[in-house]
Amino acid sequence: MDLSGKKILICEEALIDQKGHFQTWIRAIRQMHLDAGAQVFVAGNEAVVDDVRSDLAVLPIYTVNSWDQKKLGSLPAWRRHFRVFAQNWRIFWQTRKALRAAGPVDALFFTAVRVHHLIGLRLLCMWGLGHRFKKLTCFLLTSQAEYNADFTSFQFPRRSGLIALVLKSFKRLVERGSVILAGDSHITCAEYEKLTNIPMTLFPSPGSDLRYVKTAPTKGATVFTLLGVSTWDKGIDNFQSSILKFLERNPESQATFVLQWSVPCQRPDGSIVEVSEKLRSDHRVTYLERRLSNEEYATYFRDADFIVLPYRKMTYFNRISGVAVEAAVSGKPMIVTESTWLEWAVNEFGSGIAVPEGGIEELCAAIERCCEERDSILARARERMAVARDYNSSERYLSLLW
């Protein structure tokens, strides 16, 4: 797509440092627009660190990161509501400041929107849509739904009433094409459509063109890898238990395992999951007990045959995984949790095996199957690369945005 002469302003109050997903997403979205010939401006937090600021040419605009207000839950309701409305007011005024710095733009893009932003964005539309900016895209990433225990049905709590009311005020603008209400999970998009009766636009994960690894599968021992922050919701404890079971049942196996255990894995009750000393002393198991540089991450990802993502539904039922997208576009099969967005991605554009949440025996059996059927499973993943790259391509992303 040729975007020569177009201007876009990308806004994210939480763009501060290298932690989290914000800088990764924005870097990819910015680069795909630059490659298409567009002029790109990025507005981030005023506390943005120097390397991110220079790398992404960030305008330090936003004074408060509402995503990092960890103590809000302990405040009285009136104070929480006040902070929400105060942040909306800041979003309105500070985004006007960003627009003055950038000048009139063709597209205004907010990468992570919730109730803290929507009223301010509605005011922005009343103030400047059509002359300060021609189109607004609001990415809704957080779910409003509360699911039952087995995630087969959901309801909306009373607190979702405010966000539903504000979203409905965008209806005519969405119908005219001046506003896009977007998400990257088909499950979350369906939730919002039920909540508001307004169509959502389902986007792919940004920047897969920049991320896929151009390598053939490794030869020799089969490598199973789990990368990322070692949190409870990513099921690293279950993967460790499954490795123990696998090696007990297959003591002569030459399969190898890589687990990034960079932070203590804390259970919901506060107790810590300990690293297995038995596995730590096994030459077939590698624990990466540190934060990885981009180069280290790329190396371990490249050397993996199978990417293991035994994530818990509590967090990942309707949430996407960038690692899963990277695996699909790189032709790497996955082991994922069934009945989640992850399984949908495997079926839609990836390749791999789905296992029940928390199923140690089933995860162990999947590892055994991957070892036994390695060549055919890897071949299937390579065959699916074209589908994954087409679905998650920059060209498709831009066509939905513009």
Side-chain angles (χ1 to χ4, degrees), residues 25 38 41 88 124 136 170 176 180 182 188 202 220 244 261 300 304 317 319 327 336 340 349 355 358:
W25 292 335
F41 297 87
N88 273 282
L124 274 173
L136 169 66
F170 287 96
R176 292 205 321 245
I180 299 174
T188 304
L202 178 61
L244 282 164
W261 206 298
Y300 284 108
F317 169 71
R319 178 176 168 184
V336 302
T340 60
F349 55 77
V355 298

PDB file of all heavy atoms in Angstrom, residues 25 38 41 88 124 136 170 176 180 182 188 202 220 244 261 300 304 317 319 327 336 340 349 355 358:
ATOM      1  N   TRP A  25       4.646  -3.005  19.894  1.00  0.00           N
ATOM      2  CA  TRP A  25       3.542  -2.744  18.961  1.00  0.00           C
ATOM      3  C   TRP A  25       3.783  -1.457  18.188  1.00  0.00           C
ATOM      4  O   TRP A  25       3.641  -1.421  16.968  1.00  0.00           O
ATOM      5  CB  TRP A  25       2.223  -2.610  19.726  1.00  0.00           C
ATOM      6  CG  TRP A  25       1.727  -3.858  20.373  1.00  0.00           C
ATOM      7  CD1 TRP A  25       2.008  -5.151  20.013  1.00  0.00           C
ATOM      8  CD2 TRP A  25       0.864  -3.941  21.504  1.00  0.00           C
ATOM      9  NE1 TRP A  25       1.370  -6.025  20.853  1.00  0.00           N
ATOM     10  CE2 TRP A  25       0.653  -5.316  21.774  1.00  0.00           C
ATOM     11  CE3 TRP A  25       0.235  -3.000  22.314  1.00  0.00           C
ATOM     12  CZ2 TRP A  25      -0.151  -5.756  22.811  1.00  0.00           C
ATOM     13  CZ3 TRP A  25      -0.565  -3.442  23.351  1.00  0.00           C
ATOM     14  CH2 TRP A  25      -0.759  -4.793  23.603  1.00  0.00           C
ATOM     15  N   ALA A  38       4.378   6.911   4.622  1.00  0.00           N
ATOM     16  CA  ALA A  38       3.629   7.864   5.439  1.00  0.00           C
ATOM     17  C   ALA A  38       4.568   8.626   6.374  1.00  0.00           C
ATOM     18  O   ALA A  38       5.667   8.175   6.695  1.00  0.00           O
ATOM     19  CB  ALA A  38       2.563   7.143   6.252  1.00  0.00           C
ATOM     20  N   PHE A  41       4.046  10.311  13.466  1.00  0.00           N
ATOM     21  CA  PHE A  41       4.327  10.953  14.745  1.00  0.00           C
ATOM     22  C   PHE A  41       3.886  10.009  15.848  1.00  0.00           C
ATOM     23  O   PHE A  41       2.877   9.309  15.718  1.00  0.00           O
ATOM     24  CB  PHE A  41       3.581  12.288  14.871  1.00  0.00           C
ATOM     25  CG  PHE A  41       3.988  13.313  13.863  1.00  0.00           C
ATOM     26  CD1 PHE A  41       3.378  13.365  12.610  1.00  0.00           C
ATOM     27  CD2 PHE A  41       4.996  14.230  14.142  1.00  0.00           C
ATOM     28  CE1 PHE A  41       3.752  14.308  11.672  1.00  0.00           C
ATOM     29  CE2 PHE A  41       5.384  15.181  13.216  1.00  0.00           C
ATOM     30  CZ  PHE A  41       4.759  15.217  11.971  1.00  0.00           C
ATOM     31  N   ASN A  88      -9.612  11.034  31.502  1.00  0.00           N
ATOM     32  CA  ASN A  88     -10.271  11.368  30.240  1.00  0.00           C
ATOM     33  C   ASN A  88     -10.051  12.833  29.868  1.00  0.00           C
ATOM     34  O   ASN A  88      -9.815  13.160  28.695  1.00  0.00           O
ATOM     35  CB  ASN A  88     -11.773  11.066  30.334  1.00  0.00           C
ATOM     36  CG  ASN A  88     -12.106   9.641  29.973  1.00  0.00           C
ATOM     37  OD1 ASN A  88     -12.157   9.278  28.803  1.00  0.00           O
ATOM     38  ND2 ASN A  88     -12.334   8.808  30.987  1.00  0.00           N
ATOM     39  N   LEU A 124     -12.640  14.697  21.715  1.00  0.00           N
ATOM     40  CA  LEU A 124     -11.735  15.016  20.615  1.00  0.00           C
ATOM     41  C   LEU A 124     -12.453  14.972  19.268  1.00  0.00           C
ATOM     42  O   LEU A 124     -12.206  15.812  18.394  1.00  0.00           O
ATOM     43  CB  LEU A 124     -10.567  14.031  20.597  1.00  0.00           C
ATOM     44  CG  LEU A 124      -9.358  14.340  21.471  1.00  0.00           C
ATOM     45  CD1 LEU A 124      -8.396  13.177  21.442  1.00  0.00           C
ATOM     46  CD2 LEU A 124      -8.666  15.621  21.023  1.00  0.00           C
ATOM     47  N   LEU A 136     -10.265   8.281  13.293  1.00  0.00           N
ATOM     48  CA  LEU A 136      -9.794   7.847  14.608  1.00  0.00           C
ATOM     49  C   LEU A 136      -9.937   6.338  14.713  1.00  0.00           C
ATOM     50  O   LEU A 136     -11.004   5.783  14.424  1.00  0.00           O
ATOM     51  CB  LEU A 136     -10.613   8.513  15.720  1.00  0.00           C
ATOM     52  CG  LEU A 136     -10.427   7.975  17.149  1.00  0.00           C
ATOM     53  CD1 LEU A 136      -9.015   8.261  17.657  1.00  0.00           C
ATOM     54  CD2 LEU A 136     -11.466   8.568  18.091  1.00  0.00           C
ATOM     55  N   PHE A 170     -20.383   6.569  19.703  1.00  0.00           N
ATOM     56  CA  PHE A 170     -19.561   6.556  18.486  1.00  0.00           C
ATOM     57  C   PHE A 170     -20.292   5.905  17.303  1.00  0.00           C
ATOM     58  O   PHE A 170     -19.735   5.847  16.210  1.00  0.00           O
ATOM     59  CB  PHE A 170     -18.259   5.786  18.721  1.00  0.00           C
ATOM     60  CG  PHE A 170     -17.244   6.492  19.566  1.00  0.00           C
ATOM     61  CD1 PHE A 170     -17.140   6.236  20.919  1.00  0.00           C
ATOM     62  CD2 PHE A 170     -16.366   7.414  19.004  1.00  0.00           C
ATOM     63  CE1 PHE A 170     -16.179   6.862  21.705  1.00  0.00           C
ATOM     64  CE2 PHE A 170     -15.412   8.058  19.773  1.00  0.00           C
ATOM     65  CZ  PHE A 170     -15.319   7.788  21.125  1.00  0.00           C
ATOM     66  N   ARG A 176     -20.202   5.875   9.507  1.00  0.00           N
ATOM     67  CA  ARG A 176     -19.669   6.750   8.460  1.00  0.00           C
ATOM     68  C   ARG A 176     -18.251   6.394   8.071  1.00  0.00           C
ATOM     69  O   ARG A 176     -17.733   6.882   7.066  1.00  0.00           O
ATOM     70  CB  ARG A 176     -19.691   8.212   8.931  1.00  0.00           C
ATOM     71  CG  ARG A 176     -21.072   8.805   9.084  1.00  0.00           C
ATOM     72  CD  ARG A 176     -21.056  10.317   8.958  1.00  0.00           C
ATOM     73  NE  ARG A 176     -19.929  10.980   9.579  1.00  0.00           N
ATOM     74  CZ  ARG A 176     -20.021  11.820  10.614  1.00  0.00           C
ATOM     75  NH1 ARG A 176     -21.209  12.042  11.167  1.00  0.00           N
ATOM     76  NH2 ARG A 176     -18.960  12.421  11.095  1.00  0.00           N
ATOM     77  N   ILE A 180     -12.961   3.862  13.797  1.00  0.00           N
ATOM     78  CA  ILE A 180     -12.845   2.407  13.803  1.00  0.00           C
ATOM     79  C   ILE A 180     -12.702   1.952  15.245  1.00  0.00           C
ATOM     80  O   ILE A 180     -11.793   2.399  15.952  1.00  0.00           O
ATOM     81  CB  ILE A 180     -11.625   1.932  12.989  1.00  0.00           C
ATOM     82  CG1 ILE A 180     -11.731   2.364  11.528  1.00  0.00           C
ATOM     83  CG2 ILE A 180     -11.483   0.415  13.079  1.00  0.00           C
ATOM     84  CD1 ILE A 180     -10.472   2.052  10.716  1.00  0.00           C
ATOM     85  N   ALA A 182     -11.661  -1.165  17.194  1.00  0.00           N
ATOM     86  CA  ALA A 182     -10.869  -2.311  16.755  1.00  0.00           C
ATOM     87  C   ALA A 182     -10.420  -3.167  17.918  1.00  0.00           C
ATOM     88  O   ALA A 182     -10.374  -2.723  19.073  1.00  0.00           O
ATOM     89  CB  ALA A 182      -9.648  -1.820  15.969  1.00  0.00           C
ATOM     90  N   THR A 188     -12.762 -11.100  22.024  1.00  0.00           N
ATOM     91  CA  THR A 188     -13.035  -9.797  22.635  1.00  0.00           C
ATOM     92  C   THR A 188     -13.891  -8.936  21.720  1.00  0.00           C
ATOM     93  O   THR A 188     -14.789  -8.219  22.191  1.00  0.00           O
ATOM     94  CB  THR A 188     -11.709  -9.081  22.958  1.00  0.00           C
ATOM     95  OG1 THR A 188     -10.918  -9.920  23.794  1.00  0.00           O
ATOM     96  CG2 THR A 188     -11.971  -7.776  23.688  1.00  0.00           C
ATOM     97  N   LEU A 202     -11.630  -6.553  13.342  1.00  0.00           N
ATOM     98  CA  LEU A 202     -10.618  -7.469  13.864  1.00  0.00           C
ATOM     99  C   LEU A 202      -9.314  -7.280  13.097  1.00  0.00           C
ATOM    100  O   LEU A 202      -9.252  -7.519  11.897  1.00  0.00           O
ATOM    101  CB  LEU A 202     -11.094  -8.918  13.743  1.00  0.00           C
ATOM    102  CG  LEU A 202     -10.113 -10.000  14.199  1.00  0.00           C
ATOM    103  CD1 LEU A 202      -9.777  -9.847  15.676  1.00  0.00           C
ATOM    104  CD2 LEU A 202     -10.677 -11.392  13.916  1.00  0.00           C
ATOM    105  N   GLY A 220      18.932 -33.011  14.837  1.00  0.00           N
ATOM    106  CA  GLY A 220      19.392 -33.580  16.092  1.00  0.00           C
ATOM    107  C   GLY A 220      18.270 -33.601  17.113  1.00  0.00           C
ATOM    108  O   GLY A 220      17.119 -33.888  16.801  1.00  0.00           O
ATOM    109  N   LEU A 244       9.198 -33.140  33.885  1.00  0.00           N
ATOM    110  CA  LEU A 244       9.576 -34.163  34.878  1.00  0.00           C
ATOM    111  C   LEU A 244       8.921 -35.498  34.550  1.00  0.00           C
ATOM    112  O   LEU A 244       9.582 -36.549  34.563  1.00  0.00           O
ATOM    113  CB  LEU A 244       9.168 -33.704  36.276  1.00  0.00           C
ATOM    114  CG  LEU A 244      10.063 -32.667  36.951  1.00  0.00           C
ATOM    115  CD1 LEU A 244       9.350 -32.027  38.135  1.00  0.00           C
ATOM    116  CD2 LEU A 244      11.381 -33.307  37.406  1.00  0.00           C
ATOM    117  N   TRP A 261      12.948 -18.516  33.019  1.00  0.00           N
ATOM    118  CA  TRP A 261      12.413 -18.357  34.374  1.00  0.00           C
ATOM    119  C   TRP A 261      13.057 -17.107  34.960  1.00  0.00           C
ATOM    120  O   TRP A 261      13.826 -17.152  35.910  1.00  0.00           O
ATOM    121  CB  TRP A 261      12.738 -19.591  35.202  1.00  0.00           C
ATOM    122  CG  TRP A 261      11.786 -19.856  36.324  1.00  0.00           C
ATOM    123  CD1 TRP A 261      11.548 -19.052  37.395  1.00  0.00           C
ATOM    124  CD2 TRP A 261      10.947 -21.001  36.496  1.00  0.00           C
ATOM    125  NE1 TRP A 261      10.610 -19.612  38.237  1.00  0.00           N
ATOM    126  CE2 TRP A 261      10.230 -20.820  37.702  1.00  0.00           C
ATOM    127  CE3 TRP A 261      10.736 -22.161  35.768  1.00  0.00           C
ATOM    128  CZ2 TRP A 261       9.326 -21.762  38.179  1.00  0.00           C
ATOM    129  CZ3 TRP A 261       9.834 -23.095  36.240  1.00  0.00           C
ATOM    130  CH2 TRP A 261       9.129 -22.901  37.427  1.00  0.00           C
ATOM    131  N   TYR A 300      17.329 -18.002  20.943  1.00  0.00           N
ATOM    132  CA  TYR A 300      16.618 -19.127  21.540  1.00  0.00           C
ATOM    133  C   TYR A 300      15.336 -19.448  20.765  1.00  0.00           C
ATOM    134  O   TYR A 300      14.964 -20.623  20.615  1.00  0.00           O
ATOM    135  CB  TYR A 300      16.287 -18.847  23.009  1.00  0.00           C
ATOM    136  CG  TYR A 300      17.489 -18.982  23.910  1.00  0.00           C
ATOM    137  CD1 TYR A 300      18.090 -17.869  24.483  1.00  0.00           C
ATOM    138  CD2 TYR A 300      18.037 -20.241  24.184  1.00  0.00           C
ATOM    139  CE1 TYR A 300      19.207 -18.000  25.311  1.00  0.00           C
ATOM    140  CE2 TYR A 300      19.144 -20.373  25.015  1.00  0.00           C
ATOM    141  CZ  TYR A 300      19.727 -19.250  25.567  1.00  0.00           C
ATOM    142  OH  TYR A 300      20.833 -19.378  26.373  1.00  0.00           O
ATOM    143  N   ALA A 304      14.503 -23.136  18.538  1.00  0.00           N
ATOM    144  CA  ALA A 304      13.403 -23.983  19.013  1.00  0.00           C
ATOM    145  C   ALA A 304      12.774 -24.751  17.853  1.00  0.00           C
ATOM    146  O   ALA A 304      12.611 -24.226  16.751  1.00  0.00           O
ATOM    147  CB  ALA A 304      12.342 -23.128  19.705  1.00  0.00           C
ATOM    148  N   PHE A 317      -7.742 -16.653  27.890  1.00  0.00           N
ATOM    149  CA  PHE A 317      -8.867 -17.228  27.154  1.00  0.00           C
ATOM    150  C   PHE A 317      -9.174 -16.414  25.897  1.00  0.00           C
ATOM    151  O   PHE A 317      -9.322 -16.950  24.801  1.00  0.00           O
ATOM    152  CB  PHE A 317     -10.111 -17.294  28.048  1.00  0.00           C
ATOM    153  CG  PHE A 317     -11.359 -17.629  27.283  1.00  0.00           C
ATOM    154  CD1 PHE A 317     -11.546 -18.897  26.781  1.00  0.00           C
ATOM    155  CD2 PHE A 317     -12.337 -16.664  27.051  1.00  0.00           C
ATOM    156  CE1 PHE A 317     -12.690 -19.213  26.054  1.00  0.00           C
ATOM    157  CE2 PHE A 317     -13.475 -16.966  26.327  1.00  0.00           C
ATOM    158  CZ  PHE A 317     -13.654 -18.245  25.827  1.00  0.00           C
ATOM    159  N   ARG A 319      -7.333 -13.481  24.998  1.00  0.00           N
ATOM    160  CA  ARG A 319      -6.222 -12.565  24.761  1.00  0.00           C
ATOM    161  C   ARG A 319      -5.232 -13.178  23.772  1.00  0.00           C
ATOM    162  O   ARG A 319      -4.935 -14.361  23.832  1.00  0.00           O
ATOM    163  CB  ARG A 319      -5.528 -12.278  26.099  1.00  0.00           C
ATOM    164  CG  ARG A 319      -4.313 -11.380  26.027  1.00  0.00           C
ATOM    165  CD  ARG A 319      -3.830 -11.128  27.451  1.00  0.00           C
ATOM    166  NE  ARG A 319      -2.506 -10.518  27.484  1.00  0.00           N
ATOM    167  CZ  ARG A 319      -1.827 -10.267  28.606  1.00  0.00           C
ATOM    168  NH1 ARG A 319      -2.372 -10.573  29.779  1.00  0.00           N
ATOM    169  NH2 ARG A 319      -0.643  -9.710  28.568  1.00  0.00           N
ATOM    170  N   ALA A 327       5.588 -17.534  16.225  1.00  0.00           N
ATOM    171  CA  ALA A 327       5.791 -18.944  15.906  1.00  0.00           C
ATOM    172  C   ALA A 327       5.127 -19.298  14.577  1.00  0.00           C
ATOM    173  O   ALA A 327       5.726 -19.969  13.727  1.00  0.00           O
ATOM    174  CB  ALA A 327       5.241 -19.814  17.029  1.00  0.00           C
ATOM    175  N   VAL A 336      -0.427 -25.550  22.726  1.00  0.00           N
ATOM    176  CA  VAL A 336      -1.200 -24.458  23.320  1.00  0.00           C
ATOM    177  C   VAL A 336      -2.342 -25.018  24.167  1.00  0.00           C
ATOM    178  O   VAL A 336      -2.644 -26.212  24.140  1.00  0.00           O
ATOM    179  CB  VAL A 336      -1.770 -23.532  22.227  1.00  0.00           C
ATOM    180  CG1 VAL A 336      -0.659 -22.963  21.356  1.00  0.00           C
ATOM    181  CG2 VAL A 336      -2.805 -24.267  21.364  1.00  0.00           C
ATOM    182  N   THR A 340      -9.096 -21.617  23.672  1.00  0.00           N
ATOM    183  CA  THR A 340      -8.601 -20.257  23.906  1.00  0.00           C
ATOM    184  C   THR A 340      -8.339 -19.599  22.559  1.00  0.00           C
ATOM    185  O   THR A 340      -8.411 -20.249  21.506  1.00  0.00           O
ATOM    186  CB  THR A 340      -7.274 -20.268  24.697  1.00  0.00           C
ATOM    187  OG1 THR A 340      -6.296 -21.000  23.935  1.00  0.00           O
ATOM    188  CG2 THR A 340      -7.432 -20.910  26.061  1.00  0.00           C
ATOM    189  N   PHE A 349      -4.364 -19.940  11.358  1.00  0.00           N
ATOM    190  CA  PHE A 349      -3.194 -19.661  10.523  1.00  0.00           C
ATOM    191  C   PHE A 349      -1.896 -20.312  11.029  1.00  0.00           C
ATOM    192  O   PHE A 349      -0.839 -20.103  10.444  1.00  0.00           O
ATOM    193  CB  PHE A 349      -2.978 -18.148  10.379  1.00  0.00           C
ATOM    194  CG  PHE A 349      -2.876 -17.393  11.675  1.00  0.00           C
ATOM    195  CD1 PHE A 349      -1.717 -17.417  12.440  1.00  0.00           C
ATOM    196  CD2 PHE A 349      -3.949 -16.635  12.138  1.00  0.00           C
ATOM    197  CE1 PHE A 349      -1.625 -16.709  13.632  1.00  0.00           C
ATOM    198  CE2 PHE A 349      -3.870 -15.919  13.327  1.00  0.00           C
ATOM    199  CZ  PHE A 349      -2.698 -15.955  14.073  1.00  0.00           C
ATOM    200  N   VAL A 355      -3.950 -28.735  24.195  1.00  0.00           N
ATOM    201  CA  VAL A 355      -4.120 -29.614  25.354  1.00  0.00           C
ATOM    202  C   VAL A 355      -5.003 -28.909  26.381  1.00  0.00           C
ATOM    203  O   VAL A 355      -5.094 -27.681  26.399  1.00  0.00           O
ATOM    204  CB  VAL A 355      -2.758 -29.977  25.992  1.00  0.00           C
ATOM    205  CG1 VAL A 355      -1.897 -30.742  25.008  1.00  0.00           C
ATOM    206  CG2 VAL A 355      -2.030 -28.730  26.481  1.00  0.00           C
ATOM    207  N   GLY A 358      -3.958 -26.928  32.304  1.00  0.00           N
ATOM    208  CA  GLY A 358      -3.473 -27.597  33.509  1.00  0.00           C
ATOM    209  C   GLY A 358      -3.316 -29.094  33.386  1.00  0.00           C
ATOM    210  O   GLY A 358      -3.032 -29.773  34.387  1.00  0.00           O
TER     211      GLY A 358
END
